[in-house]
């Protein structure tokens, strides 16, 4: 078990370096609390690698993952558009930080679940579990991936302290769009023409709705800012007596 744990940790940690999941972890850490992101990654990794170990050790099977890759890419597209729009939190909503934290937790967890299904780290875990102690592989692979993503979170937090908030948001949006393209292309390789067309149509609809949402939000914010801070009066000031 110890040998399987050490081997799995080393293999998955190295495989995760520079992977899209590590870049995603850094991106989320730029926008949200690091402990929420890390706990969501830990939960998603534990679930995905549990499935990997079960498939590799007990069934010796793999599952088709093209559909999940496409869904993950579309979700990254939504995240990118949402990031460009920006978040809003007024005085009343600030008291609901716990609810916001739970929403972020489930959003990050679902994103990593979708991104990891069929990823090379999942396939590596399946292969390791087929020939090694399943519990050691499960623990080692989970710790290895979380450690690599924690390293990315540290980098993201350090960058976040030295960059303006809007610059961080736009940079995160660009990364989300890159992840979307990455995942969708992975899912469409070898897919049928119908799947390609449906995926492109879905991406176009999401983009159109997102752009309209961003434009409407920016107009509303501009109107609210104008109402709160109107232009100063142009009437001449009275002469002093």
């Amino acid at each position: 078990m110890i040998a399987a744990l050490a081997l799995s940790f080393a293999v998955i940690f190295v495989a995760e370096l520079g992977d899209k999941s590590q870049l995603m972890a850094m991106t989320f850490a730029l926008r949200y609390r690091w402990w929420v992101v890390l706990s969501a990654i830990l939960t998603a990794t534990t679930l995905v690698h549990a499935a990997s170990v079960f498939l590799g050790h007990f069934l010796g099977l793999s599952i088709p993952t093209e559909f999940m890759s496409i869904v993950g890419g579309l979700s990254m597209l939504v995240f990118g558009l949402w990031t460009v729009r920006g978040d809003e939190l007024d005085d009343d909503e600030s008291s609901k930080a716990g609810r916001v934290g739970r929403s972020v937790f489930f959003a990050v967890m679902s994103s990593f679940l979708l991104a990891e299904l069929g990823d090379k780290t999942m396939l590596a875990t399946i292969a390791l579990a087929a020939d090694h102690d399943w519990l050691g592989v499960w623990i080692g692979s989970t710790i290895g991936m979380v450690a690599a993503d924690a390293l990315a979170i540290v980098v993201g937090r350090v960058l976040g302290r030295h960059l303006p908030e809007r610059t961080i948001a736009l940079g995160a949006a660009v990364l989300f769009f890159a992840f979307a393209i990455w995942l969708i292309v992975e899912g469409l390789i070898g897919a049928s023409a119908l799947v390609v067309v449906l995926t492109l149509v879905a991406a176009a609809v999401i983009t159109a709705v997102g752009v309209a949402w961003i434009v409407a939000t920016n107009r509303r914010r501009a109107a609210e800012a104008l109402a709160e801070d109107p232009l100063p009066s142009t009437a001449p000031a009275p002469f002093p007596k």
Side-chain angles (χ1 to χ4, degrees), residues 113-156:
L113 279 171
L114 293 171
E116 284 304 307
L117 290 176
D119 190 67
K120 65 177 182 290
T121 52
M122 181 181 181
L123 300 179
T125 304
I126 292 175
L128 289 167
D131 297 321
H132 298 82
D133 180 83
W134 67 270
L135 184 59
V137 171
W138 184 20
I139 296 174
S141 61
T142 300
I143 295 175
M145 182 170 172
V146 173
D149 291 340
L151 178 62
I153 288 175
V154 171
V155 174

Side-chain angles (χ1 to χ4, degrees), residues 82-170:
W82 193 345
T83 303
V84 171
R85 174 185 177 271
D87 297 321
E88 294 177 299
L89 193 67
D90 57 28
D91 293 336
D92 294 332
E93 291 170 330
S94 61
S95 62
K96 304 175 183 177
R99 186 182 306 174
V100 174
R102 288 193 295 272
S103 300
V104 171
F105 175 86
F106 286 113
V108 175
M109 184 184 72
S110 61
S111 297
F112 272 84
L113 279 171
L114 293 171
E116 284 304 307
L117 290 176
D119 190 67
K120 65 177 182 290
T121 52
M122 181 181 181
L123 300 179
T125 304
I126 292 175
L128 289 167
D131 297 321
H132 298 82
D133 180 83
W134 67 270
L135 184 59
V137 171
W138 184 20
I139 296 174
S141 61
T142 300
I143 295 175
M145 182 170 172
V146 173
D149 291 340
L151 178 62
I153 288 175
V154 171
V155 174
R157 297 299 295 177
V158 171
L159 289 175
R161 295 192 187 101
H162 299 88
L163 294 174
E165 183 177 353
R166 190 55 184 167
T167 300
I168 293 173
L170 293 177

Side-chain angles (χ1 to χ4, degrees), residues 7 14 18 23 25 30 38 42 52 73 78 81 83 95 102 109 115 152-153 203 212 217-218 224 239 241:
L7 175 63
V14 173
L23 298 177
L30 289 170
L38 189 60
L42 175 60
S52 303
V78 173
L81 293 167
T83 303
S95 62
R102 288 193 295 272
M109 184 184 72
I153 288 175
T217 300
N218 288 339
E224 292 175 351
F239 289 103
K241 296 181 180 179

